[in-house]
Amino acid sequence: MQPIMIQLKGIHKTYFGAQPLHVLKGIDLNIAEGELVSIMGASGSGKSTLLNILGILDDYDEGEYHLAGTLIKNLSETRAADYRNRLIGFIFQSFNLIGFKTAVENVELPLFYQGVGRRKRHQMAMEELEKMGLTDWASHYPNEMSGGQRQRVAIARALATRPKIILADEPTGALDSKTGVEVMQLLQKLNREEKITMIIVTHDPGVASKTNRIIRIKDGVIEE
Amino acid sequence: MIELLSEIWQTTRRNKLRTSLTGFAVAWGIFMLIVLLGAGNGLLNASNENNDRYVDNSMMIFGGQTSKAYDGLKEGREIELDENDLQITQSRFTQNIDKAGAILNEGGATITYGENYVSSSLRGVYPMFAEVNKTKISTGRFINDIDIRDQRRVLVIPENQARELIPNNPRALLGKTVRVGDMAFTVVGIEQEDKSRMSSDVSVPFTTLKTIYNKGNHVGRIVFSFNGLESEADNEAFEKRYRATINRQHRAAPDDEESIWIWNRFTQALQMAKGTNIIQTALWIIGLFTLLSGIVGVSNIMLITVRERTREFGIRKAIGASPANILKIIITESIIITGFFGYIGMILGILANLYMDATLGSKPIETGLFTTTVFVNPTVGLGTCIAVTIVLIIAGTIAGLMPALKAARIRPIVALMAE
């Protein structure tokens, strides 16, 4: 048994709007180091909220969340940013590259926020791009690349800081099916070869079937 | 820092028109500030130059007319200053008064040299007159103590009047004997011409003039230089004491303010300095308010920028930017825009000042009696440029603060929202 990477205990989350909305109703979940897991659920199931909490983008009301042995609770914005930077790599549905920066500058960005020097940063970013087979595209802007290439730049950016986990939100959602399959294969390979813990949020059963474990959420609770 | 600057260059480049329109408002504000301050300095310098003709710490006393009945005498009596007053001025106020003297005037004197003559007027003066009035001698000397003691018949003539007597070489008049009316005088000095004054009189020793023209006991005006009166209150107290003393000599009420007139050049200079400060403050305020519209403009486009870049800031935060990182981007951008356009405004303002200096500044105005210049060196100093730089940095920070706080509050969740 691998050591536990993510441990959720009795997580509750309520959005207090005009009508209080109890979104997560006691989530218990353990994910071991090196696992490749998918989270599935219909819209409104609480899937996105769970992803926000896992990604330290949002706080929760009750319970405990341990990430790589660290309790993640009531963090200041600066601390949260620091943890996100060092522990988590994000892959988004719409890539979320910064349009006025070149591919390599995009990959450098998280390293910049880590305070890595200019030269070192560039070198590390180039290594990541090389792994993605994008060395020739390093000085191109995102709008000069195809969707698959952009998503690979985003993956390189997520990997640049050597995070503990990768959180992918619908990573193939904006890609055609052929490219989507290629991206999934890439993620699987990274999981297998680099032993990176990976959590993929998706509603695509085809994507979910490529993962080792599928976690289904319905009405704010896990039904495994 | 290099990263930050190149990033700001990348983003502002995308909105050239918008940025330069807003920048224009800032440049205009600073331009106005510099031009106003420069023009203000020009006016103040010109008035200072006019006031600079006298030594600040001197007073001149004139006889007046009593305004109060006192000691059995009716009001409306003429008071004429006499030898006794001069004596008292010299002996009783030694604590404050350095040198005291008097000035007697005698109009309608014709000065003749050979065939040439010039109509002038005489003034009998003490040697200290030259100091108080900053008289400049171009050749020879001014009236001295021996002239006074011996009642010598010597005179100091202004250069423009000397030119009437020897047109080609007025300075050759030095040492020559001229006639004043029927009497022979020796020219001991030639006074430098000062175009900013009305035509000057011919100076002769006080005692000489008094004797020749039978002035009796009268001394005309008393003039003295003083020391140790630093504040306006000091000066007022001194004037009160002095007035009371002189009034008593003439059986006038000690507090009668019209029996003698005191012209205190020091308090006048103090008031001028106060006025100068007020004018300069007012110019700064006007300039800063002009700049304010520029600041509001910059603040406005920064708000738009933040709105446009909401998603980008969300992404940055998701991948590890702290609120402080985001704050820094916006504030720096704001300071750079404000500073860049502010400096353009400043340079244009300085050029406008130089233009003013070259045109108005060097064009004397001829009034007939004297010439004057409206603007003297209408420029701003290095101090103002440094002050303006600080103003720009503060202005940029203020302009960027609200948008920056707004940007720093953007939640990283926006990065996850579909476009």
Side-chain angles (χ1 to χ4, degrees):
Chain A
M1 181 72 189
Q2 290 285 334
I4 288 172
M5 178 60 76
I6 287 175
Q7 186 181 39
L8 295 179
K9 265 192 282 188
I11 298 288
H12 282 264
K13 174 74 181 175
T14 306
Y15 286 115
F16 295 95
Q19 195 86 48
L21 200 59
H22 197 178
V23 186
L24 297 182
K25 302 166 181 166
I27 300 277
D28 294 298
L29 177 64
N30 287 334
I31 296 171
E33 199 179 323
E35 261 195 287
L36 175 58
V37 179
S38 59
I39 298 175
M40 289 193 78
S43 60
S45 60
K47 168 185 70 167
S48 298
T49 308
L50 181 61
L51 179 72
N52 290 345
I53 290 170
L54 286 174
I56 328 182
L57 300 170
D58 206 349
D59 217 343
Y60 50 93
D61 303 324
E62 260 178 60
E64 278 183 1
Y65 168 28
H66 287 270
L67 173 58
T70 314
L71 176 65
I72 307 295
K73 194 166 192 176
N74 297 327
L75 298 176
S76 73
E77 273 219 61
T78 309
R79 279 291 284 286
D82 182 44
Y83 282 161
R84 280 197 296 273
N85 184 259
R86 288 190 296 110
L87 302 176
I88 303 168
F90 286 97
I91 298 169
F92 306 96
Q93 178 175 5
S94 44
F95 325 129
N96 280 347
L97 297 175
I98 292 172
F100 57 86
K101 286 181 177 291
T102 61
V104 68
E105 283 170 346
N106 267 287
V107 180
E108 279 181 41
L109 202 55
L111 295 167
F112 166 71
Y113 288 124
Q114 223 168 47
V116 177
R118 205 171 156 73
R119 199 172 296 240
K120 180 92 189 296
R121 200 164 73 207
H122 188 75
Q123 188 199 331
M124 287 168 81
M126 286 308 290
E127 277 171 28
E128 292 302 330
L129 283 177
E130 197 190 332
K131 275 189 229 163
M132 297 296 138
L134 288 170
T135 312
D136 295 342
W137 292 85
S139 52
H140 283 253
Y141 289 93
N143 60 9
E144 298 164 347
M145 295 187 223
S146 71
Q149 284 169 327
R150 287 191 221 181
Q151 194 59 303
R152 279 186 284 153
V153 174
I155 293 169
R157 181 176 67 182
L159 291 171
T161 56
R162 312 275 149 81
K164 296 280 185 191
I165 61 169
I166 293 278
L167 283 181
D169 180 27
E170 303 278 11
T172 61
L175 302 173
D176 61 62
S177 52
K178 184 169 166 285
T179 321
V181 169
E182 282 168 15
V183 166
M184 267 318 290
Q185 280 167 351
L186 182 61
L187 292 179
Q188 280 176 291
K189 188 171 146 232
L190 285 170
N191 172 253
R192 217 169 37 239
E193 289 174 7
E194 313 222 352
K195 303 280 179 257
I196 297 175
T197 314
M198 220 171 263
I199 299 157
I200 298 170
V201 175
T202 184
H203 62 265
D204 181 351
V207 169
S209 66
K210 301 261 172 47
T211 61
N212 313 134
R213 176 152 70 116
I214 301 174
I215 297 157
R216 288 174 203 281
I217 297 195
K218 199 179 174 189
D219 293 333
V221 288
I222 289 173
E223 42 171 35
E224 225 160 329
Chain B
M1 198 62 201
I2 301 163
E3 283 88 3
L4 200 59
L5 293 182
S6 73
E7 199 157 84
I8 287 162
W9 172 239
Q10 282 172 334
T11 54
T12 45
R13 211 174 38 176
R14 288 183 304 169
N15 295 305
K16 272 193 224 101
L17 181 67
R18 194 170 74 189
T19 310
S20 37
L21 279 178
T22 316
F24 174 76
V26 175
W28 181 249
I30 291 293
F31 175 80
M32 289 306 288
L33 181 68
I34 296 283
V35 168
L36 281 173
L37 288 175
N41 280 346
L43 284 172
L44 295 172
N45 287 344
S47 94
N48 281 343
E49 202 160 87
N50 284 336
N51 290 315
D52 220 29
R53 287 182 294 179
Y54 306 108
V55 168
D56 275 346
N57 55 335
S58 67
M59 292 192 206
M60 196 180 264
I61 317 299
F62 305 80
Q65 222 175 26
T66 56
S67 64
K68 290 174 183 172
Y70 185 73
D71 201 12
L73 294 170
K74 259 181 33 171
E75 70 267 28
R77 264 185 324 124
E78 294 272 352
I79 302 291
E80 282 195 85
L81 298 172
D82 56 29
E83 285 290 354
N84 183 37
D85 297 323
L86 181 58
Q87 176 68 36
I88 285 167
T89 306
Q90 281 165 336
S91 59
R92 281 205 207 161
F93 298 91
T94 46
Q95 210 183 338
N96 296 110
I97 293 180
D98 293 331
K99 286 180 185 166
I103 305 167
L104 265 173
N105 285 85
E106 182 64 33
T110 306
I111 300 170
T112 320
Y113 178 71
E115 306 246 299
N116 298 328
Y117 63 92
V118 60
S119 298
S120 182
S121 45
L122 301 182
R123 69 181 164 213
V125 296
Y126 279 82
M128 50 84 70
F129 177 87
E131 276 169 51
V132 170
N133 270 30
K134 293 189 178 171
T135 305
K136 292 186 193 83
I137 298 295
S138 49
T139 179
R141 62 170 175 87
F142 196 68
I143 307 297
N144 65 23
D145 287 324
I146 303 163
D147 297 334
I148 298 284
R149 194 191 63 203
D150 296 349
Q151 303 192 8
R152 281 181 178 168
R153 294 194 178 181
V154 293
L155 59 79
V156 175
I157 189 167
E159 199 162 341
N160 58 329
Q161 293 180 25
R163 193 173 290 120
E164 303 285 332
L165 301 177
I166 306 183
N168 308 322
N169 187 10
R171 293 188 185 185
L173 199 64
L174 184 72
K176 299 283 191 305
T177 304
V178 296
R179 274 188 299 126
V180 178
D182 297 332
M183 286 158 292
F185 275 73
T186 306
V187 177
V188 295
I190 297 190
E191 192 183 323
Q192 223 174 68
E193 213 171 334
D194 182 352
K195 285 192 172 158
S196 64
R197 288 184 210 220
M198 288 191 238
S199 61
S200 201
D201 296 338
V202 169
S203 304
V204 299
F206 180 82
T207 46
T208 311
L209 187 132
K210 203 173 96 161
T211 311
I212 290 174
Y213 290 94
N214 274 325
K215 294 289 182 184
N217 209 17
H218 299 313
V219 297
R221 290 165 284 158
I222 293 177
V223 61
F224 56 82
S225 57
F226 60 88
N227 63 65
L229 304 174
E230 299 304 330
S231 67
E232 222 159 319
D234 282 351
N235 277 278
E236 249 171 60
F238 175 85
E239 284 173 29
K240 203 174 165 189
R241 209 148 46 83
Y242 183 82
R243 184 188 299 283
T245 310
I246 299 297
N247 282 1
R248 227 171 268 126
Q249 305 305 316
H250 297 274
R251 292 175 68 193
D255 59 344
D256 192 335
E257 298 206 335
E258 288 176 31
S259 57
I260 59 167
W261 297 100
I262 299 177
W263 176 24
N264 186 338
R265 284 152 181 166
F266 184 73
T267 46
Q268 188 185 329
L270 277 183
Q271 280 156 3
M272 277 295 295
K274 217 189 276 177
T276 303
N277 275 338
I278 292 171
I279 291 172
Q280 249 156 358
T281 312
L283 291 178
W284 266 99
I285 289 172
I286 295 167
L288 289 180
F289 271 99
T290 317
L291 181 62
L292 193 65
S293 62
I295 296 174
V296 171
V298 172
S299 201
N300 199 18
I301 65 156
M302 293 313 293
L303 273 176
I304 296 170
T305 303
V306 168
R307 204 193 176 92
E308 279 180 357
R309 293 171 70 186
T310 299
R311 189 179 179 85
E312 179 204 322
F313 290 138
I315 298 166
R316 284 172 184 269
K317 282 186 127 183
I319 63 175
S322 66
N325 290 136
I326 305 287
L327 206 72
K328 208 161 76 181
I329 294 177
I330 297 297
I331 298 230
T332 316
E333 187 169 331
S334 170
I335 291 175
I336 286 176
I337 291 176
T338 317
F340 177 74
F341 287 101
Y343 263 85
I344 290 179
M346 187 153 96
I347 289 164
L348 292 177
I350 289 170
L351 288 178
N353 282 342
L354 291 177
Y355 177 74
M356 268 198 289
D357 193 20
T359 53
L360 281 172
S362 53
K363 193 188 278 173
I365 292 166
E366 189 69 53
T367 61
L369 290 171
F370 56 94
T371 59
T372 185
T373 316
V374 180
F375 279 130
V376 174
N377 189 21
T379 47
V380 293
L382 186 64
T384 309
C385 294
I386 293 168
V388 165
T389 308
I390 294 168
V391 163
L392 283 174
I393 292 171
I394 294 171
T397 310
I398 293 171
L401 195 63
M402 222 212 342
L405 287 173
K406 209 175 152 122
R409 273 198 301 266
I410 291 171
R411 302 185 66 200
I413 293 180
V414 299
L416 290 169
M417 292 169 184
E419 259 162 7

